[in-house]
Amino acid sequence: MRRGKRRGVAGWLWRLGLLLGVWLLGVAAWIIWVGDHDEAAPADAIIVLGAAAYDAKPSPVFEERIRHGLDLYQRGYAPLLIFTGGYGGATARFSESQVARRYALRQRVPADAILIETVSRTTRQNLIEAQLLMREHHLHRVILVSDPLHMARALRLSRELGIDALASSTPSTRFRSFHTRWRFLAQEIYFFHRDLLVKGAGP
């Protein structure tokens, strides 16, 4: 009897583990699919989500986002760029958005085609501050720029906040090695489930 019960419990645990594995693979596939699906179309502005900056220089990840935002702007998808991201630390001379603005100005983007906010530290805050700029300048539809594996969460947060956003991930990513891509994907899978349980949480 005891052996039968143990086999029964083991069987149920095996089935639950299998279901969990299938679920996690499904979430991962959805994250990857959203990141690979470019929705770029005419809009009022392009929002470039912040990432790390080293003094006056964008990190490789942030530079990819900035370059893609500039490419969309130069191809005529929108007349305005919104750069987001605050100060990375108490000693930082420039906010992430200021670094991006300087980069864009060097590419001869007119100053009046650039909007920035300098207080956000998380993805949600990036979007909240960008939304305030949208309201101030009477902007409605935007193109959202981030890394492919980050896009599903960014797009979901945008919709949660009521932002009419189209996704356009960077065509290349600095998360190139298997280790860094897997770690980034695992992080996004975690955030997906955490956000289901805790509304309004997170980076």
Side-chain angles (χ1 to χ4, degrees):
M1 288 288 290
R2 289 180 179 176
R3 288 181 181 176
K5 287 181 179 179
R6 283 199 293 267
R7 283 197 294 268
V9 171
W12 277 109
L13 289 175
W14 183 86
R15 291 183 182 92
L16 287 172
L18 181 62
L19 286 173
L20 177 62
V22 170
W23 170 260
L24 292 176
L25 283 174
V27 172
W30 175 72
I31 290 170
I32 292 168
W33 181 85
V34 171
D36 288 341
H37 187 60
D38 194 344
E39 300 176 327
D44 298 318
I46 298 159
I47 296 177
V48 178
L49 295 179
Y54 310 133
D55 193 42
K57 183 179 180 181
S59 64
V61 170
F62 195 20
E63 186 172 11
E64 290 293 308
R65 298 183 188 183
I66 297 167
R67 288 172 58 188
H68 186 51
L70 293 177
D71 180 61
L72 293 171
Y73 169 80
Q74 289 161 355
R75 288 161 62 190
Y77 279 102
L80 286 173
L81 287 157
I82 299 177
F83 292 120
T84 66
Y87 292 86
T91 60
R93 287 197 304 154
F94 303 101
S95 68
E96 294 165 5
S97 59
Q98 288 171 335
V99 171
R101 184 179 186 274
R102 287 161 58 94
Y103 191 106
L105 291 173
R106 287 197 298 270
Q107 301 301 314
R108 300 189 178 181
V109 176
D112 59 5
I114 302 171
L115 301 176
I116 67 169
E117 60 79 22
T118 61
V119 299
S120 66
R121 298 293 299 274
T122 68
T123 300
R124 178 180 290 275
Q125 291 171 5
N126 286 169
L127 293 167
I128 289 172
E129 295 301 321
Q131 188 176 43
L132 293 176
L133 290 173
M134 289 173 62
R135 289 172 179 165
E136 181 182 344
H137 293 271
H138 308 290
L139 307 174
H140 304 287
R141 172 167 283 193
V142 295
I143 300 172
L144 201 58
V145 172
S146 191
D147 294 88
L149 294 178
H150 183 233
M151 185 56 73
R153 179 158 57 100
L155 195 60
R156 182 181 53 75
L157 289 172
S158 296
R159 289 172 177 164
E160 184 181 307
L161 293 168
I163 298 172
D164 183 5
L166 302 169
S168 185
S169 303
T170 56
S172 60
T173 177
R174 290 294 177 169
F175 296 101
R176 291 175 178 169
S177 72
F178 175 81
H179 176 71
T180 55
R181 286 178 64 82
W182 168 248
R183 187 172 61 182
F184 194 7
L185 179 58
Q187 172 185 288
E188 291 303 316
I189 292 171
Y190 163 75
F191 284 137
F192 173 87
H193 291 91
R194 186 216 47 198
D195 290 348
L196 288 178
L197 298 172
V198 186
K199 205 72 171 177

